[in-house]
C-alpha cells in the first residue's frame, strides 16, 4: 500500500501537466473528455489587541488561499487536479479520479479531503466565519491519500474511506487510518433544512517525534495569524506508535434567513504509556439581514454557495459563534501531565457582492487557560478580514 501511495506522486504531477496543457472543452458523445478551470483567492488581514502574557501576535496580511483546479471527465472516470499557490511552495489539494456506479455510489481514488465533521466538510468559500472551529481545524484529517466510497439514498448520505496519514507533500508522516461519516436531512429544501450527522475516524501514527513529526494538537484561537496565542493541548513526541479515535456529532438547522449549527467533537490518543483526551464543542447562529438563506447540498450533507441574492447591492449576513476546546494528558499511573483549554467568541459580518465575491470581517475574543495552574495564560482580541473570490 505504501508503495502505491509513493508511486501516485509522479503520476499525479504528470497528469497535472498534461491536463493544464490540454484545451478546455466540454464532453460529448464523439469526444468523451472535458476540462473546467476553477479556483479561489482569499486575501486576509489581522490586527491584534494582545495582553501582557506571552509573546505578542503581529498585525499582518497574507494570501491565505490561491487555488487553481482543473476538473472534468476522462472517458469513464471523473477527475480533479487542484493546487494551492499561496505559500513558498505549491501544495497539492484534491488530486483524484472517481467513478459513479449507478445508484450504488461513487468510488474515489487519490488524494482528497476526508469525511469528518460538518464544519470541516463545508468549504472555506461557504462558511459564515473566516475560520472553522478549533477542533475542526486540528482534528479533521484533511487531505490524505486513500480510497473512498460515497453514496446517497433518499435523505441519508454516507461515506467511508481508508487512507494513509501521508499526503503528496508530507511523506514523512507515516501511518494508516479509516474513517466515515453519515448524515440525515429529511427532505431538505431551500430555506428549510434539518441536518444530523455522525463522523468517526481511527488513525494509527507510526513513531511520532522520531523520524516523523510530533503529534500535537495546538489550535489558533484568534485566527490563522495568531501563532503566538497557540496552546498545546496534546503532545505525543516520544517516538512510540500512537493510536487515536476521533468522533463528531453534528446538528444544523435552517429556517428562512436564520440558521444555527453546533457540534460536539472529541478524540482519544494513546501510545501505551500515556494517553490524552480532547473534548470540544461550538454553537453558531447566522442571520441574513437581506432575507437570503444558507444553501444546503443534500448529495454531500454540507452547506454550499449562497443562492438567490435579493438586492442589487448584494446580501448581508451576521454570524456569532462560541467555542470551547479542552485537552488533558497524563502518563499511566502518574499525575496529570497537561491540562489546558481555549475558548473564543467570534462575531462576523459578510457582504456578498455576488454569489462568488464577498468581503468578511470577524471580531474575536479568545482566552487560553492552564487548568493545572488555575491561571489564564493568554487573552487575545483580534479584528480579522478577508476579500474572497472564487470561480
Amino acid at each position: 500500500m505504501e508503495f502505491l501511495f509513493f508511486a501516485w506522486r509522479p503520476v499525479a504531477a504528470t497528469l497535472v501537466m498534461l491536463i493544464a496543457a490540454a484545451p478546455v472543452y466540454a464532453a460529448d458523445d464523439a469526444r468523451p473528455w472535458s476540462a473546467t478551470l476553477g479556483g479561489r483567492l482569499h486575501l486576509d488581514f489581522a490586527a491584534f489587541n494582545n495582553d501582557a502574557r506571552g509573546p505578542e501576535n503581529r498585525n499582518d496580511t497574507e494570501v491565505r488561499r490561491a487555488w487553481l483546479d482543473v476538473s472534468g471527465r476522462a472517458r469513464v472516470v471523473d477527475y480533479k487536479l487542484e493546487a494551492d499557490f499561496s505559500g513558498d511552495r505549491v501544495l497539492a489539494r484534491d488530486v483524484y479520479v472517481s467513478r459513479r456506479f449507478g445508484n450504488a455510489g461513487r468510488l474515489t481514488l487519490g488524494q482528497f479531503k476526508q469525511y469528518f465533521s460538518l464544519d470541516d466538510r463545508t468549504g472555506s468559500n461557504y462558511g459564515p466565519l473566516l475560520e472553522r472551529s478549533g477542533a475542526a481545524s486540528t482534528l479533521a484529517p484533511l487531505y490524505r491519500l486513500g480510497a473512498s466510497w460515497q453514496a446517497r439514498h433518499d435523505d441519508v448520505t454516507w461515506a467511508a474511506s481508508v487512507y494513509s496519514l501521508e499526503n503528496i507533500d508530507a511523506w514523512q508522516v507515516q501511518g494508516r487510518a479509516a474513517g466515515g461519516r453519515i448524515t440525515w436531512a429529511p427532505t431538505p429544501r431551500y430555506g428549510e433544512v434539518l441536518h444530523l450527522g455522525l463522523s468517526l475516524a481511527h488513525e494509527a501514527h507510526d513513531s511520532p517525534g522520531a523520524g516523523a513529526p510530533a503529534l500535537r494538537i495546538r489550535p489558533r484561537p484568534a485566527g490563522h495569524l495568531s501563532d503566538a496565542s497557540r496552546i498545546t493541548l496534546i503532545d505525543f513526541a516520544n517516538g512510540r506508535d500512537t493510536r487515536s479515535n476521533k468522533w463528531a456529532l453534528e446538528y444544523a438547522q435552517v429556517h428562512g434567513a436564520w440558521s444555527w449549527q453546533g457540534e460536539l467533537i472529541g478524540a482519544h490518543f494513546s501510545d501505551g504509556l500515556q494517553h490524552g483526551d480532547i473534548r470540544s464543542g461550538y454553537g453558531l447562529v447566522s442571520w441574513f439581514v437581506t432575507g437570503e438563506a444558507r444553501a444546503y447540498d443534500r448529495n454531500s450533507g454540507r452547506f454550499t454557495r449562497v443562492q438567490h441574492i435579493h438586492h442589487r447591492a448584494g446580501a448581508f449576513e451576521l454570524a456569532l459563534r462560541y467555542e470551547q476546546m479542552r485537552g488533558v494528558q497524563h502518563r499511566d499511573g502518574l499525575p496529570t501531565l497537561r491540562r489546558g483549554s481555549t475558548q473564543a467568541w467570534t462575531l462576523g459580518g459578510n457582504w456578498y457582492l455576488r454569489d462568488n465575491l464577498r468581503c468578511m470581517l470577524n471580531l474575536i475574543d479568545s482566552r487560553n487557560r492552564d487548568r493545572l495552574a488555575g491561571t489564564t495564560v493568554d487573552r487575545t482580541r483580534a479584528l480579522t478580514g478577508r476579500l474572497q473570490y472564487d470561480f
Side-chain angles (χ1 to χ4, degrees), residues 61 175 317 327 380:
T61 61
E317 179 187 21
T380 299

Side-chain angles (χ1 to χ4, degrees), residues 119 131-138 263 265 280-282 321 323 325:
D119 200 12
E131 309 296 343
R132 297 179 172 92
S133 67
S137 299
T138 57
E263 292 187 85
I265 303 175
S280 176
Y282 74 87
R321 179 180 68 201
E323 62 176 304
M325 191 171 180

Side-chain angles (χ1 to χ4, degrees), residues 17 49 90 193 199 202 240 253 382:
M17 291 185 289
N49 180 3
V90 179
V193 176
S199 302
H202 174 76
R240 294 179 59 84
Q253 200 158 356

Side-chain angles (χ1 to χ4, degrees), residues 35-115:
T36 301
L37 184 67
R40 68 187 69 180
L41 179 64
H42 296 178
L43 306 176
D44 288 13
F45 78 86
F48 296 98
N49 180 3
N50 303 281
D51 66 6
R53 290 165 284 202
E56 292 189 352
N57 297 286
R58 296 175 54 189
N59 300 341
D60 206 351
T61 61
E62 67 172 339
V63 180
R64 178 68 179 278
R65 297 178 181 92
W67 295 14
L68 284 175
D69 69 79
V70 178
S71 61
R73 186 166 182 82
R75 294 192 181 275
V76 298
V77 299
D78 299 316
Y79 68 88
K80 186 174 183 180
L81 305 171
E82 183 177 57
D84 184 359
F85 296 84
S86 62
D88 297 331
R89 61 192 184 102
V90 179
L91 299 176
R93 298 306 182 194
D94 281 327
V95 182
Y96 63 76
V97 294
S98 69
R99 183 176 181 181
R100 174 167 292 282
F101 293 85
N103 294 326
R106 178 179 292 275
L107 174 67
T108 301
L109 300 173
Q111 177 168 294
F112 50 89
K113 200 172 194 182
Q114 298 302 311
Y115 306 94

Side-chain angles (χ1 to χ4, degrees), residues 115 117 180-184 195-200 247-250:
Y115 306 94
S117 91
R181 178 173 181 254
I182 185 169
T183 71
W184 177 66
H195 166 99
L196 299 175
L198 170 66
S199 302
L200 298 171
W247 54 268
L249 296 174
E250 312 169 12

Side-chain angles (χ1 to χ4, degrees), residues 217 219 231-236 274-279 324-331 334-342 367-378:
I217 304 300
I231 183 172
T232 300
L233 300 179
I234 295 293
D235 188 352
F236 285 80
Q274 60 180 330
H275 65 265
D277 289 282
I278 296 288
R279 295 291 182 269
Q324 186 175 104
M325 191 171 180
R326 297 190 179 203
V328 59
Q329 181 176 354
H330 65 266
R331 299 184 181 93
L334 295 175
T336 299
L337 177 66
R338 178 179 288 107
R339 186 188 297 272
S341 68
T342 182
R367 297 173 186 262
N368 296 338
R369 287 187 58 81
D370 181 340
R371 294 189 171 271
L372 283 180
T375 61
T376 297
V377 295
D378 180 88

